Amino acid sequence: MKKLFVVFVILCCSSSAWGITGLGIGIRGGMIQNYSYDELDLIPAQNKDWLKEMPLVGVHLKIGTLRIIHLEGSLEYAWKKKQIVLDQDIKTDFSINDLSFNGTAKYMFSFPVLKPYLGVGVGIHRLAYGISNQAYSIYIPEDQTRMGWHGVGGLVLSAPAFPLELFVEARYTTIPTQDKGTHYTTILAGVTYNLP
């Protein structure tokens, strides 16, 4: 344990020599818009459009080691549960969950306070689907873990010598699931605390 503590102190003291600056941690939240997955089209027609919006929450780590390129890792969870109507007015709860770990590289445009950015990244998504009443026959996709890609654009509001940054972001995600894949847009906002 003492050796681990010594290594940690050395890393902290030498971080400036390595150029590790601009670290920050934060939280985020938003809404997924227009979730599209062809396999879900087999759910009875009267239940269409229930995935137009899906809430999302998460945490992130910002690594701003370079002036204009920031790296970001995030862990996000999106979910939706909806009562759907099957044939003969039988009702059941259908749920979908997306747990993802994402890595994004962002190009920051150099402005003093309000900084726009563009970026690209990859994510590993754990997609899970469920139904509350197994007594009725309805097709649901199998749970799956897939790698996806995303493009982002947003704005960061940061004041000099103030540790908190606010951001808003739009992101388009595509996941190569079965057939034509899964696609959606995410609108999110968050706050980052820049570590000293």
Side-chain angles (χ1 to χ4, degrees):
M1 188 68 177
K2 290 181 181 180
K3 290 180 181 179
L4 184 61
F5 178 73
V6 171
V7 171
F8 177 74
V9 170
I10 291 171
L11 289 175
C12 289
C13 293
S14 63
S15 64
S16 59
W18 291 358
I20 299 177
T21 59
L23 291 176
I25 56 174
I27 57 173
R28 56 181 52 204
M31 295 293 275
I32 288 177
Q33 307 285 323
N34 301 317
Y35 192 95
S36 172
Y37 179 33
D38 287 350
E39 293 289 305
L40 297 178
D41 288 344
L42 298 175
I43 294 174
Q46 64 266 36
N47 304 293
K48 297 297 183 191
D49 298 332
W50 70 280
L51 278 175
K52 287 295 182 185
E53 291 186 338
M54 187 183 334
L56 173 143
V57 294
V59 295
H60 61 268
L61 171 67
K62 180 191 82 169
I63 306 171
T65 56
L66 303 174
R67 285 191 172 187
I68 58 174
I69 302 292
H70 287 184
L71 303 177
E72 180 183 87
S74 64
L75 180 65
E76 299 175 351
Y77 180 67
W79 72 97
K80 186 73 180 249
K81 186 174 183 180
K82 174 76 173 178
Q83 186 177 76
I84 60 174
V85 180
L86 306 177
D87 294 335
Q88 301 171 351
D89 293 330
I90 298 169
K91 296 179 180 178
T92 187
D93 290 330
F94 182 81
S95 64
I96 180 171
N97 302 282
D98 181 351
L99 177 65
S100 64
F101 177 73
N102 306 286
T104 308
K106 298 179 177 179
Y107 179 86
M108 310 297 291
F109 293 92
S110 184
F111 293 99
V113 177
L114 194 60
K115 300 177 183 177
Y117 63 86
L118 295 172
V120 294
V122 297
I124 298 174
H125 297 258
R126 175 62 179 162
L127 304 169
Y129 314 90
I131 190 168
S132 62
N133 194 335
Q134 299 292 339
Y136 300 99
S137 177
I138 179 175
Y139 173 81
I140 61 172
E142 291 184 5
D143 296 351
Q144 52 193 314
T145 301
R146 301 282 179 160
M147 181 172 284
W149 295 269
H150 56 265
V152 302
L155 289 170
V156 173
L157 175 64
S158 62
F162 189 66
L164 294 180
E165 289 181 347
L166 303 175
F167 71 91
V168 292
E169 180 176 294
R171 179 174 65 204
Y172 181 78
T173 302
T174 180
I175 306 168
T177 44
Q178 297 176 6
D179 298 328
K180 293 184 180 179
T182 299
H183 312 279
Y184 55 85
T185 302
T186 308
I187 306 297
L188 57 92
V191 60
T192 303
Y193 175 72
N194 292 312
L195 300 173

